[in-house]
């Protein structure tokens, strides 16, 4: 079945439809990951977006429930150059095409994704429609979608899993769910931290009353400035408990401490972004998925110090709050399916928690 991607600039990309046949819309973005398509599609940070895969062959190892990052597909649609017809992997339970149908997720294959990616890189991310027929009215409707809906979606309470049975006295981490990836919980559990997930709108008093030892601010979709009610909660929590923040959580942590954020031209999405640790000078590859970033200039009047930066465009990739056991990273150290170059940041978080517990006992 022929289907079409109609961009807000009037450009049309033709392809073959798979998955759901519904008409849909969203902001077109691209990811450069060679693997991890299932993790990307179930990442809530892609909520409502049309996700384009730059790697030419997608779906070759199928889909399996063990690799979900949430409770199902989160983009409004997916675009690829070639969809694998016969997936082969011992863990696969179905093909990507069949799973997309089950998830009511529209997809288009046989698209010139190189040209589409170049368009997004040159013009920036933009809104688009996916339709069965291109008419003057459809093109007009696509062009009319100039306003971008960046409201953070309420994609919390997703019945995410924990991966380990831990001792009852293991430290407990409150995880604020702004669109949480399951791999964050797995990473915390694997280093011996229990996790208690709270919806994004939970008051600080409720979290502190749960007798937790640390706080994690999760990833999620949308514009961080659309969540001003969260900022005083973060300030209260960082004053009393060790805190770590990832992706959207990193941006909210920066806003809570006086910095500002901005929308990037086409963002960072993929598993191959090189990031420099400014303290050690070492460089690691990272998994990233964000369309907003912290404004470097706005940090000058804050108590925040930059700890990591992207080596190509010098995006702020890590922050540390002075005189607090609180830090954040823009990238994903949990990184399912990889890379894991910065996985030791979770151990740093645990060390902060254990030191805080020690200080409390000695007080």
């Amino acid at each position: 079945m022929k289907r079409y991607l109609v961009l807000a600039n009037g450009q049309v990309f033709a392809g073959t439809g798979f998955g759901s046949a519904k008409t849909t819309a969203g902001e077109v973005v691209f990811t450069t990951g060679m693997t991890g398509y299932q993790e990307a599609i179930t990442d809530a940070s892609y909520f409502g977006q049309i996700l384009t895969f730059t790697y030419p062959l997608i779906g070759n190892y199928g889909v399996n429930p063990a690799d979900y990052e949430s409770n199902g597909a989160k983009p409004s649609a997916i675009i690829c150059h070639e969809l694998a017809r016969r997936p082969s992997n011992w863990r696969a339970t179905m093909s990507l095409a069949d799973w997309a149908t089950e998830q009511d997720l529209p997809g288009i294959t046989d698209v010139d994704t190189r040209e589409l990616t170049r368009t997004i890189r040159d013009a920036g991310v933009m809104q688009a429609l996916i339709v069965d027929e291109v008419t003057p009215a459809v093109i007009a409707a696509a062009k009319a979608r100039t306003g971008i809906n960046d409201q953070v979606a309420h994609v919390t309470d997703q019945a995410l899993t924990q991966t380990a049975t831990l001792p009852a006295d293991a430290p407990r981490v409150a995880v604020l769910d702004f669109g949480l990836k399951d791999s964050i919980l797995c990473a915390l559990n694997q280093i011996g931290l229990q996790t208690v997930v709270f919806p994004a709108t939970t008051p600080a008093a409720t979290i502190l009353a749960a007798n937790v030892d640390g706080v994690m601010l999760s990833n999620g979709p949308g514009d961080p400035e659309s969540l001003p009610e969260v900022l005083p909660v973060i300030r209260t929590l960082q004053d009393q408990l060790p805190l770590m923040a990832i992706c959207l959580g990193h941006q909210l942590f920066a806003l809570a401490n006086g910095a500002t954020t901005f929308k990037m031209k086409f963002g960072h999405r993929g598993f191959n972004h090189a990031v420099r640790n400014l303290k050690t000078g070492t460089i690691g590859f990272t998994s990233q998925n964000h369309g907003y970033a912290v404004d470097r200039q706005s940090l000058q009047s804050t108590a925040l110090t930059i700890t990591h930066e992207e080596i190509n465009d010098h995006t702020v990739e890590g922050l540390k709050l002075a005189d607090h056991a609180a830090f954040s990273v823009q990238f994903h150290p949990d990184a399912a399916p990889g890379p894991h170059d910065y996985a030791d940041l979770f151990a740093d978080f645990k060390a902060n928690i254990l030191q805080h517990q020690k200080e409390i006992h000695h007080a």
Side-chain angles (χ1 to χ4, degrees):
M1 177 181 65
K2 206 74 171 176
R3 301 211 79 189
Y4 302 89
L5 174 72
V6 183
L7 300 181
N9 67 356
Q11 196 169 357
V12 177
F13 290 84
T16 304
F18 66 93
S20 173
K22 68 182 180 183
T23 296
T24 190
E27 182 184 71
V28 183
V29 301
F30 65 86
T31 178
T32 57
M34 296 176 64
T35 60
Y37 55 81
Q38 183 179 334
E39 288 88 346
I41 297 171
T42 55
D43 182 351
S45 294
Y46 284 115
F47 183 86
Q49 294 177 319
I50 296 175
L51 176 57
T52 303
F53 293 95
T54 63
Y55 192 71
L57 177 64
I58 298 298
N60 54 309
Y61 54 84
V63 172
N64 74 87
D67 290 339
Y68 280 21
E69 288 287 7
S70 68
N71 59 357
K74 291 299 179 288
S76 61
I78 56 176
I79 308 290
C80 65
H81 174 68
E82 181 181 354
L83 179 69
R85 290 174 296 171
R86 289 182 291 273
S88 178
N89 187 280
W90 67 272
R91 300 171 70 240
T93 58
M94 66 177 69
S95 69
L96 178 57
D98 289 343
W99 184 75
T101 300
E102 179 185 274
Q103 293 286 312
D104 196 29
L105 174 67
I108 306 180
T109 186
D110 302 325
V111 171
D112 186 347
T113 51
R114 291 185 67 182
E115 182 182 359
L116 176 57
T117 300
R118 288 175 66 92
T119 297
I120 297 171
R121 286 181 61 90
D122 291 342
V125 294
M126 66 184 77
Q127 292 283 302
L129 301 173
I130 290 181
V131 296
D132 296 330
E133 183 181 9
V134 179
T135 65
V138 167
I139 293 177
K143 290 182 176 180
R145 293 185 61 86
T146 53
I148 297 174
N149 179 14
D150 282 322
Q151 186 68 29
V152 174
H154 293 288
V155 285
T156 62
D157 295 326
Q158 298 179 46
L160 297 170
T161 61
Q162 298 190 44
T163 59
T165 301
L166 300 172
D169 61 349
R172 287 158 46 90
V173 174
V175 182
L176 267 68
D177 180 5
F178 302 107
L180 175 62
K181 290 173 61 180
D182 192 41
S183 55
I184 293 176
L185 297 184
C186 292
L188 293 172
N189 293 159
Q190 286 169 1
I191 62 168
L193 296 175
Q194 301 183 70
T195 52
V196 186
V197 179
F198 292 89
T201 54
T202 306
T206 302
I207 297 170
L208 294 171
N211 193 31
V212 294
D213 304 295
V215 176
M216 168 67 72
L217 309 180
S218 86
N219 65 294
D223 185 349
E225 293 186 358
S226 67
L227 282 173
E229 68 277 8
V230 174
L231 306 186
V233 174
I234 295 173
R235 287 191 286 268
T236 298
L237 294 174
Q238 71 186 19
D239 285 343
Q240 300 191 47
L241 293 170
L243 181 144
M244 178 179 178
I246 293 173
C247 199
L248 176 62
H250 158 81
Q251 296 158 18
L252 292 169
F253 175 65
L255 290 175
N257 288 283
T260 59
T261 57
F262 65 94
K263 187 174 179 62
M264 304 172 74
K265 186 175 182 180
F266 50 82
H268 293 162
R269 297 175 178 90
F271 307 118
N272 52 0
H273 290 269
V275 169
R276 177 180 287 109
N277 181 324
L278 296 181
K279 181 179 180 180
T280 65
T282 58
I283 294 173
F285 286 94
T286 66
S287 169
Q288 299 197 21
N289 176 10
H290 64 105
Y292 289 81
V294 174
D295 184 347
R296 179 183 291 264
Q297 296 302 315
S298 72
L299 295 167
Q300 294 179 1
S301 58
T302 73
L304 296 167
T305 300
I306 301 173
T307 59
H308 298 76
E309 68 175 10
E310 216 265 359
I311 67 168
N312 294 304
D313 60 11
H314 304 294
T315 301
V316 176
E317 294 285 342
L319 294 168
K320 171 73 173 66
L321 181 60
D323 302 321
H324 289 71
F327 69 94
S328 66
V329 287
Q330 180 64 78
F331 52 88
H332 288 264
D334 48 291
H340 302 111
D341 293 9
Y342 282 112
D344 57 348
L345 289 171
F346 289 107
D348 294 343
F349 179 44
K350 181 178 181 180
N352 287 345
I353 291 174
L354 296 177
Q355 178 62 31
H356 183 256
Q357 289 180 326
K358 183 178 179 181
E359 291 171 356
I360 291 175
H361 293 324
H362 290 173

